Every structure is written in structure tokens, then in C-alpha cells.
Amino acid sequence: MSGTLHVVGMGPGDPELLTLKALRLIEAAPVVAYFAKRGRTGHARRIAGDRIDPRAELLRFEYPFTTELSVADPRYLAEIGIFYEASAARLAERLALGRDVALLCEGDPFFYGSAMYLFDRLHREFPFEIVPGVTGMSGCWSAAGVPFTHGDDVLLVLPGTLDRQTLAARLAIGDAAVIMKVGSNLAKIQAALDDAGLLSRAIYVESGMMPGQRIMPLAEMAGQAAPYFSMVLVPGRRRAR
Amino acid sequence: MSGTLHVVGMGPGDPELLTLKALRLIEAAPVVAYFAKRGRTGHARRIAGDRIDPRAELLRFEYPFTTELSVADPRYLAEIGIFYEASAARLAERLALGRDVALLCEGDPFFYGSAMYLFDRLHREFPFEIVPGVTGMSGCWSAAGVPFTHGDDVLLVLPGTLDRQTLAARLAIGDAAVIMKVGSNLAKIQAALDDAGLLSRAIYVESGMMPGQRIMPLAEMAGQAAPYFSMVLVPGRRRAR
């Protein structure tokens, strides 16, 4: 009988924002797997802290790239596919031996992120359970103290990699928006928000719910760099009640 | 010194999906407040179960309506405003006396929901802390086992109350979508998804992560009624990696 693949949402960064279920599964898992960049612990591993059983086998899946390549870059697609295949194979080996696996995911497993690419390769063969987590964006708007979506609001979640015109056009049809993957897209995002008349409402959040958290009006970020792990929040227009 | 208003996300329904922080605050709170419909316990109270201190004061905020009125109905707006004012006043009374309050919210506090209307009336006067929770939609796509948003996907969260043409137009520009407030909008939503060529990808989730959970392809829901507390998921187009 094979082990079960538990895909475990770790929340936005504060270990206290782990769910009870996530904690139970992490503490009990004989195999704990997580993603990390070269030379880094990785947020998921850091959030787990000392809750992992000392006897558990730790599997570290280290990304083949340290910087963000375009998802359209053929070199990226080739290498990342190999990486996900190899990582899934390492999990399949343990699952086939009857060992349960906890695959740790920042935030919520099925809301952006890498674990889905391993799930895709394993879910037909092995039993699985998905443990949802608090998303990074929930962490950010909560840390910012900004009520975000009300009533009949339309929410858009947009990647900062979209071109300026498309960003502005998308923003125009929503009530609230979250723009992820700010990084080197910061100036373009500010311009698109300005085009859409939303710059004054936009809030910049860096490292939400993690050490080094910074929250400020986006307009005050003129000319600065932003790390990849930052986002821009545009709260909905609040209809009074 | 006044008490602190803790606005506590309770997650999508499974008590094990409470965060560690939510549990700690619920157990410690001298005053616990929650919303409910007439004759119902309310999801937030149910999720808290027996974790509330027996000595805590329980404040039940009962909605003045048992059915969903249009948010544009003047009668609704007048009465709901009175309701939120009165509820906020009950909290302000305790906070002013130095008592901490845990205001329980289904899902995530600042992602749709009623607690924000009390927060609006209290946050300038009293210290507060927002505890994010797992959203209903995260609970639903996790229960459905459906990886939802990848890479550069655009996500739309739409209210089912939008007219058919607007729904179809919005759906056309996103990669993934969540349609909330299905209820009596079911047939219209199915038609809009069909217009947008998405009906075959759409998944219906009722009472996600709660007793009575039902998950099925939306196309199989022809002619049936849906409760208000249900949603439609349209997973993103997965670009292979």
C-alpha cells in the first residue's frame, strides 16, 4: 500500500498562521519535502521551524535558477521540466514504499507556486490530500489593515509581468486588484496604475507577514527597486453600509 | 486602556483549518462575537466549537434578513446600516472597558464578509489586529483537488449577481475564475460560462470543507437549485512544465 502525498499550505510567513491540520501533518510526516533557491532555506522550511520530526527524511528541491527567467524562455522551460520530473520521482520512490510525504508549500498550494507541478505528476498514481493555507495576499491585506473586497466587488489577481497597456485595461474592469511578481516590474506597474487612475489607492507590501515586512503607499516607492516577493494591493471601492 | 479588537479568520469550515493564531485568540478572548442568521448557529460559531472559554461573554449579531436582498434595495441598505451600527456599538462598549474582543469571521476577514463593516466603525478608535484565514475558495479548490492558478495566470473573482453579458465578458479576459453567490444565479452563470466557452471546465462546489460538501462538474447541475453558499470554479489553463 502506497503512502499518501499531503500537499501542505504553510501560509504567508508567520508560523502562527499555519493551520492546525498543517501542523499535525508536518509533525507526523516521515518524509518532508520543500522547495528552495540555492543558498537559501526557503520560506516553507523556515515556517516549519522545529516542528518537523527529527527522524523525518528531509527532501530539499533546489531550483535550477537563482534569478527569475521569463516563463517563455525555452531554456527555462526545458530545465524546469527536468527539475520537476526529478523531484516528483524522488517523492514517488518514497510513496511507493508506503511512506507518507508532506510536501510543504508557501501560502496556499493550488494558488500559484511550484507544488502543483509535482502534484500533476503524482496524483493519478498515489492517494493525496491538499491542505489549503492562508494566501500571501490575505496575509498582506491583513497586515496592511485594509478591508479588501466587499459585496459584489470583482477581484483581479494579475501578474506584474503583463505589459503596461494590458495591466491598465485589466485594472479598469475590476473593483479590487492584487498585482504579484512586482520585482523589476515596479515602474511599469506604477505607470499602469496611474493610467487607470488607481495609483493613489495602491499599497505596496514587501515580505508580508515575514521578517522585514514593509508596507507603504505605492506612490512613495518612486524609483526604488522591489524584490520579487512583493505585491501591490488595490483595495476595492467601499460602498458605504 | 482599551481592549484590542481581534478580527479572526475562521477558515472555510473544517475546524482543523483554523490557524494556530486564531485558536489562541479564540481560547483567550473574554468577549467573542459572531454573525448568524435567525435560527442558525452560524458557520463561524460552529467552527469555534468548544474552544471558546466558558467564562467568555458571547455576542451574537443576528442579521435582520433571512433571505438575500439585493444590495441596491434601499430597505436593505437602511436596515443593514442600523444593524452594523448597533453591533459595532456593542463591541465598542466592551473595548472601551478594556476587554479584548475576538470577532469571528468565516474564511478570511477582509475577503468579502460582514466583519469589515464593524471594523470600519471601530478601527480609528481602538487598537486592532487582523488574523487572516483560509478563504472559502481555497477550501473549495483544495477539496476539489484542482490546481487553480499557475505562473502568469490572471484570476478573476466574480459575484454571480452580475448580468450574463458582463459575466461572459469578464470571464473571457481571465485564465482562472471563481464565481461566488451562485444561489438563484445558477442558470445564468451556466449560460455565461457557455457563452465564454468555459462550461466544460467549470466545477460546482457546495458547502466546501463543511458537512454536506458536494463537488461536481457544473454541467451536471442542469435545472437544479444551488444554495447561496456555493461557488463555481474555473481552473486556469495549465501550461505544461
Side-chain angles (χ1 to χ4, degrees):
Chain A
M1 205 175 87
S2 74
T4 298
L5 173 65
H6 300 285
V7 189
V8 182
M10 302 296 286
D14 176 350
E16 260 213 310
L17 293 179
L18 278 172
T19 60
L20 301 174
K21 189 167 194 174
L23 181 60
R24 170 172 64 79
L25 290 168
I26 290 164
E27 291 180 329
V31 180
V32 176
Y34 62 96
F35 292 96
K37 291 179 178 166
R38 194 183 319 156
R40 306 279 193 88
T41 302
H43 297 295
R45 176 66 189 89
R46 181 187 56 76
I47 294 166
D50 60 1
R51 306 290 203 156
I52 298 170
D53 191 303
R55 299 162 298 175
E57 179 184 16
L58 276 172
L59 297 181
R60 178 187 161 92
F61 299 147
E62 190 172 281
Y63 293 109
F65 303 110
T66 52
T67 56
E68 295 301 326
L69 287 184
S70 164
V71 299
D73 184 323
R75 177 170 61 125
Y76 172 85
L77 289 172
E79 293 219 33
I80 204 77
I82 290 166
F83 168 63
Y84 289 135
E85 279 294 330
S87 304
R90 291 171 75 186
L91 293 185
E93 192 182 327
R94 278 83 180 162
L95 292 165
L97 289 170
R99 305 178 70 200
D100 288 342
V101 169
L103 172 60
L104 310 185
C105 317
E106 299 173 38
D108 179 58
F110 282 179
F111 185 70
Y112 303 99
S114 304
M116 294 183 286
Y117 300 109
L118 304 195
F119 172 85
D120 284 348
R121 291 164 165 85
L122 297 165
H123 76 278
R124 285 175 217 84
E125 191 178 350
F126 301 104
F128 64 87
E129 180 179 32
I130 313 302
V131 184
V134 175
T135 59
M137 64 181 183
S138 291
C140 285
W141 62 54
S142 301
V146 177
F148 212 71
T149 44
H150 299 70
D152 282 355
D153 281 352
V154 171
L155 169 69
L156 280 159
V157 180
L158 303 165
T161 45
L162 291 172
D163 65 77
R164 174 177 169 174
Q165 291 79 2
T166 305
L167 269 173
R170 298 285 176 266
L171 288 163
I173 64 104
D175 297 289
V178 175
I179 305 171
M180 319 231 290
K181 302 185 174 185
V182 175
S184 58
N185 301 301
L186 176 64
K188 177 186 61 178
I189 291 168
Q190 286 173 309
L193 282 160
D194 204 20
D195 294 345
L198 297 171
L199 184 55
S200 61
R201 265 167 60 198
I203 300 161
Y204 170 79
V205 182
E206 183 180 311
S207 302
M209 296 263 163
M210 286 190 290
Q213 174 182 287
R214 293 174 73 210
I215 301 175
M216 70 186 74
L218 180 65
E220 292 178 16
M221 283 289 292
Q224 296 173 48
Y228 188 76
F229 197 78
S230 55
M231 63 175 74
V232 172
L233 306 178
V234 184
R237 286 162 287 240
R238 305 213 238 141
R239 299 167 188 78
R241 288 197 202 172
Chain B
M1 206 174 82
S2 73
T4 298
L5 173 66
H6 300 283
V7 190
V8 182
M10 301 297 286
D14 176 351
E16 258 212 310
L17 293 178
L18 277 173
T19 60
L20 301 174
K21 187 167 195 173
L23 180 61
R24 170 171 64 81
L25 290 170
I26 290 164
E27 290 181 330
V31 180
V32 175
Y34 62 96
F35 292 96
K37 292 178 178 166
R38 192 183 319 157
R40 305 281 194 87
T41 301
H43 297 294
R45 176 66 190 86
R46 180 188 56 75
I47 294 165
D50 61 0
R51 306 290 205 156
I52 298 172
D53 190 304
R55 298 162 297 176
E57 178 183 17
L58 277 171
L59 296 182
R60 177 189 163 91
F61 299 147
E62 189 173 282
Y63 292 110
F65 304 109
T66 52
T67 56
E68 294 301 324
L69 287 184
S70 163
V71 298
D73 185 323
R75 175 170 63 125
Y76 172 86
L77 288 173
E79 293 220 34
I80 203 76
I82 291 166
F83 168 62
Y84 289 136
E85 281 294 329
S87 303
R90 292 171 74 186
L91 294 184
E93 192 183 326
R94 277 84 182 160
L95 291 164
L97 289 170
R99 305 179 70 202
D100 288 342
V101 169
L103 172 60
L104 311 184
C105 318
E106 298 172 37
D108 180 57
F110 282 359
F111 185 69
Y112 304 99
S114 305
M116 293 182 286
Y117 300 109
L118 304 195
F119 173 85
D120 284 349
R121 292 165 165 83
L122 297 165
H123 76 278
R124 284 175 218 86
E125 191 177 351
F126 301 105
F128 64 86
E129 180 179 34
I130 313 304
V131 184
V134 175
T135 59
M137 63 181 185
S138 290
C140 287
W141 61 54
S142 300
V146 177
F148 213 70
T149 43
H150 297 71
D152 281 358
D153 280 353
V154 171
L155 168 70
L156 280 159
V157 179
L158 303 164
T161 46
L162 291 172
D163 65 76
R164 175 177 169 174
Q165 291 78 1
T166 305
L167 269 174
R170 298 285 175 266
L171 288 163
I173 64 109
D175 297 290
V178 175
I179 305 171
M180 318 230 292
K181 302 185 173 185
V182 175
S184 57
N185 300 301
L186 177 64
K188 177 185 60 177
I189 291 168
Q190 286 173 311
L193 282 161
D194 204 21
D195 294 346
L198 297 171
L199 185 56
S200 61
R201 265 167 60 198
I203 299 161
Y204 171 78
V205 183
E206 183 179 313
S207 302
M209 295 265 161
M210 288 189 290
Q213 175 181 289
R214 294 173 72 209
I215 301 175
M216 70 187 72
L218 181 65
E220 290 176 18
M221 284 289 293
Q224 295 174 51
Y228 187 75
F229 198 78
S230 54
M231 63 175 73
V232 171
L233 305 179
V234 185
R237 287 161 287 239
R238 303 211 239 146
R239 298 166 189 80
R241 286 196 203 175

